[in-house]
Amino acid sequence: ISATAKPSPSQVPVGVDPDRPSIARVYDGFLGGKDNYAVDREVMKKVLQAVPEAADIARGNRGFLNRACRFLAAQTDIDQFLDCGSGLPTAENTHQIVQRANRDAVVVYVDNDPVVLAHGRALLESDEHAYIIEADIFEPATVLAHETVRQRIDFSRPLALLHVGTLHHLEGDSGAIVMKQYIDALAPGSYVVFSHFYDPETSELTPVAKRIEDVLVHGPMGAGRFRSRDQIEAMLPGLEIIKPNAVTEPGLVACYQWWPDGPMLRPPSLAAQCIAGIVARKP
Ligand code: SAM
């Protein structure tokens, strides 16, 4: 049963159409990657015109993903990871981070972008514990029933479900339904790593969020919603939130604040505050 009534643009694979920008390539471009086309650079240019520090969103998000993987691999017993919307391989990918702590940790990546799938397959060819599959991450039943997922992940044991920088590419309000289907399939003791474009609903930050959303949603990419704390937290029903440190308030924090790597000498940009992350555990 489909959780979404009308497909979001991000559910229609971008294919090899050179006139359609790809979420994965634009995001990778903001991280400094080179696998982007003119149509992607045009989106990046418009975003940067709207908010010059917008790359801080991608950097903050990727840093959070890396630290959350390091935390789970090093400090919990989790040894299987389902990484939904994995993106183009960059220097530090989930399997490289978690396998540093546990060589046998299993990772299954899921994406629907052909460039991501091609690079991912090439990178993982010689890895015995990491796999990439093609599926629509907003169709949990399809992902969870996929042959490779069933073969490689043991759902009777705890696992980590990653939905990092993904749900803001789903239009409408079915995000909570999508995530509940995933969470229901997890064994107790499993973790969810989640991040989302965040509108902190302050007079200073909301205009920044709105300017980026305007370019992304009303431009050729057609996806990229900023949502409030309540809307984001509603996507993680019944989970216990892991506090990244004692001084941060529990729950959702800006990604750069989640278990930071070290001191920050400069205050974060307004853009850096517009992506929020959460790590939560199923009791
Ligand atoms: N999770 C990575 C990270 O946080 O660094 C990559 C995030 S990137 C912003 C979002 C990824 O989700 C892209 O690779 C895109 O192709 C993928 N994606 C978006 N919609 C999707 C869908 N409906 N099915 C599968 N993958 C999707």
Coordinates of all heavy atoms in Angstrom, one line a residue, residues 64-66 68-69 71-72 81-82 160-166 179 191-195 236 239 258 277-280:
F64 N 26.9 15.6 10.6 CA 26.0 14.9 11.6 C 25.9 13.4 11.2 O 26.0 12.5 12.1 CB 24.6 15.5 11.5 CG 23.5 14.7 12.1 CD1 23.4 14.5 13.4 CD2 22.6 14.1 11.2 CE1 22.4 13.7 13.9 CE2 21.6 13.3 11.7 CZ 21.4 13.1 13.1
L65 N 25.7 13.1 9.9 CA 25.6 11.7 9.5 C 26.9 10.9 9.9 O 26.8 9.8 10.5 CB 25.4 11.6 8.0 CG 25.6 10.3 7.3 CD1 24.5 9.3 7.7 CD2 25.6 10.4 5.8
N66 N 28.0 11.5 9.7 CA 29.3 10.8 10.0 C 29.4 10.6 11.5 O 29.8 9.5 11.9 CB 30.5 11.7 9.5 CG 30.5 11.7 8.0 OD1 29.8 11.0 7.3 ND2 31.5 12.4 7.4
A68 N 27.0 10.5 13.8 CA 26.0 9.6 14.3 C 26.4 8.1 14.0 O 26.2 7.2 14.8 CB 24.6 9.9 13.7
C69 N 27.0 7.9 12.8 CA 27.4 6.5 12.4 C 28.6 6.1 13.3 O 28.6 5.0 13.8 CB 27.9 6.5 10.9 SG 26.5 6.6 9.8
F71 N 29.1 7.2 16.3 CA 28.6 6.9 17.7 C 27.9 5.5 17.7 O 28.2 4.7 18.6 CB 27.5 8.0 17.9 CG 26.5 7.6 19.0 CD1 26.9 7.5 20.3 CD2 25.2 7.3 18.6 CE1 25.9 7.1 21.3 CE2 24.3 6.9 19.6 CZ 24.6 6.8 20.9
L72 N 27.1 5.2 16.7 CA 26.4 3.9 16.7 C 27.4 2.7 16.6 O 27.3 1.7 17.3 CB 25.4 3.8 15.6 CG 24.2 4.7 15.8 CD1 23.3 4.7 14.5 CD2 23.4 4.4 17.0
F81 N 23.1 -1.7 9.2 CA 22.7 -0.3 8.9 C 21.9 -0.3 7.5 O 22.4 -0.8 6.5 CB 23.9 0.6 8.7 CG 24.7 0.7 10.0 CD1 25.5 -0.3 10.4 CD2 24.6 1.8 10.8 CE1 26.2 -0.2 11.6 CE2 25.3 1.9 12.0 CZ 26.1 0.9 12.4
L82 N 20.7 0.3 7.6 CA 19.9 0.4 6.4 C 19.9 1.9 6.1 O 19.2 2.7 6.8 CB 18.5 -0.1 6.6 CG 17.5 0.0 5.4 CD1 18.0 -0.8 4.2 CD2 16.1 -0.6 5.8
A160 N 20.2 -0.1 12.6 CA 20.1 1.4 12.5 C 19.5 1.7 11.2 O 19.9 1.2 10.1 CB 21.5 2.0 12.6
L161 N 18.4 2.4 11.2 CA 17.8 3.0 10.0 C 18.2 4.4 9.8 O 18.0 5.2 10.8 CB 16.2 2.9 10.2 CG 15.4 3.6 9.1 CD1 15.4 2.8 7.9 CD2 14.0 3.9 9.6
L162 N 18.8 4.7 8.7 CA 19.2 6.1 8.4 C 18.3 6.7 7.4 O 18.1 6.1 6.3 CB 20.6 6.1 7.8 CG 21.8 6.0 8.8 CD1 21.8 4.7 9.6 CD2 23.1 6.1 8.1
H163 N 17.7 7.8 7.8 CA 16.9 8.7 6.8 C 17.5 10.1 7.0 O 16.9 10.9 7.7 CB 15.4 8.6 7.1 CG 14.7 7.8 6.1 ND1 14.4 8.3 4.8 CD2 14.1 6.6 6.1 CE1 13.8 7.4 4.1 NE2 13.6 6.3 4.9
V164 N 18.6 10.3 6.4 CA 19.4 11.6 6.7 C 19.2 12.4 5.4 O 19.7 12.0 4.3 CB 20.8 11.2 7.0 CG1 21.6 12.5 7.3 CG2 20.9 10.3 8.2
G165 N 18.6 13.6 5.6 CA 18.5 14.5 4.5 C 17.5 14.0 3.4 O 17.8 14.2 2.2
T166 N 16.5 13.3 3.8 CA 15.6 12.6 2.8 C 14.2 13.1 2.9 O 13.6 13.5 1.8 CB 15.6 11.1 3.0 OG1 15.3 10.8 4.4 CG2 16.9 10.5 2.6
M179 N 7.5 7.1 7.9 CA 8.5 6.7 9.0 C 7.9 5.7 9.9 O 8.6 4.8 10.4 CB 8.9 8.0 9.7 CG 9.9 8.8 8.9 SD 11.4 8.0 8.3 CE 12.2 7.5 9.8
Y191 N 18.0 1.8 16.3 CA 18.2 3.2 16.3 C 17.7 3.8 15.0 O 17.7 3.1 13.9 CB 19.6 3.6 16.4 CG 20.1 3.4 17.8 CD1 20.5 2.1 18.3 CD2 20.3 4.5 18.7 CE1 21.0 1.9 19.6 CE2 20.7 4.3 20.0 CZ 21.1 3.0 20.4 OH 21.5 2.9 21.7
V192 N 17.2 5.1 15.0 CA 16.9 5.8 13.8 C 17.8 7.1 13.8 O 17.8 7.8 14.8 CB 15.4 6.2 13.8 CG1 15.1 7.1 12.6 CG2 14.5 5.0 13.8
V193 N 18.4 7.3 12.7 CA 19.2 8.5 12.5 C 18.5 9.3 11.4 O 18.2 8.8 10.4 CB 20.7 8.2 12.0 CG1 21.5 9.5 11.8 CG2 21.4 7.2 12.9
F194 N 18.2 10.6 11.8 CA 17.2 11.3 11.0 C 17.7 12.8 10.9 O 18.1 13.4 11.9 CB 15.9 11.2 11.6 CG 14.7 11.8 10.8 CD1 14.1 11.0 9.9 CD2 14.3 13.1 11.0 CE1 13.0 11.5 9.2 CE2 13.2 13.6 10.3 CZ 12.6 12.8 9.4
S195 N 17.6 13.4 9.7 CA 17.8 14.8 9.6 C 16.8 15.4 8.6 O 16.3 14.7 7.7 CB 19.2 15.2 9.3 OG 19.5 14.9 8.0
L236 N 8.8 10.7 14.1 CA 9.6 9.7 14.9 C 8.8 9.2 16.1 O 9.2 9.3 17.2 CB 10.9 10.3 15.3 CG 11.8 10.9 14.2 CD1 12.9 11.8 14.6 CD2 12.4 9.7 13.4
L239 N 9.8 6.8 19.9 CA 11.2 6.6 20.0 C 11.8 7.4 21.2 O 11.3 8.5 21.5 CB 11.9 7.0 18.7 CG 11.5 6.3 17.5 CD1 12.4 6.8 16.3 CD2 11.7 4.8 17.6
W258 N 25.0 18.5 17.1 CA 24.9 17.1 17.6 C 26.3 16.5 17.7 O 27.0 16.2 16.8 CB 24.1 16.3 16.6 CG 23.5 15.0 17.2 CD1 22.3 14.9 17.8 CD2 24.2 13.8 17.3 NE1 22.2 13.6 18.3 CE2 23.4 12.9 18.0 CE3 25.4 13.3 16.9 CZ2 23.7 11.6 18.3 CZ3 25.8 12.0 17.2 CH2 24.9 11.1 17.9
G277 N 19.0 17.5 13.2 CA 19.3 16.1 13.3 C 18.8 15.5 14.6 O 18.7 16.2 15.6
I278 N 18.6 14.2 14.6 CA 18.1 13.5 15.8 C 18.6 12.1 15.7 O 18.6 11.5 14.6 CB 16.5 13.6 15.8 CG1 16.0 13.6 17.2 CG2 15.9 12.6 14.9 CD1 14.5 14.1 17.2
V279 N 19.0 11.5 16.8 CA 19.2 10.1 16.9 C 18.3 9.5 18.0 O 18.3 10.1 19.1 CB 20.7 9.8 17.2 CG1 20.9 8.2 17.3 CG2 21.6 10.3 16.1
A280 N 17.6 8.5 17.6 CA 16.6 8.0 18.6 C 16.6 6.5 18.6 O 17.0 5.9 17.6 CB 15.2 8.5 18.2

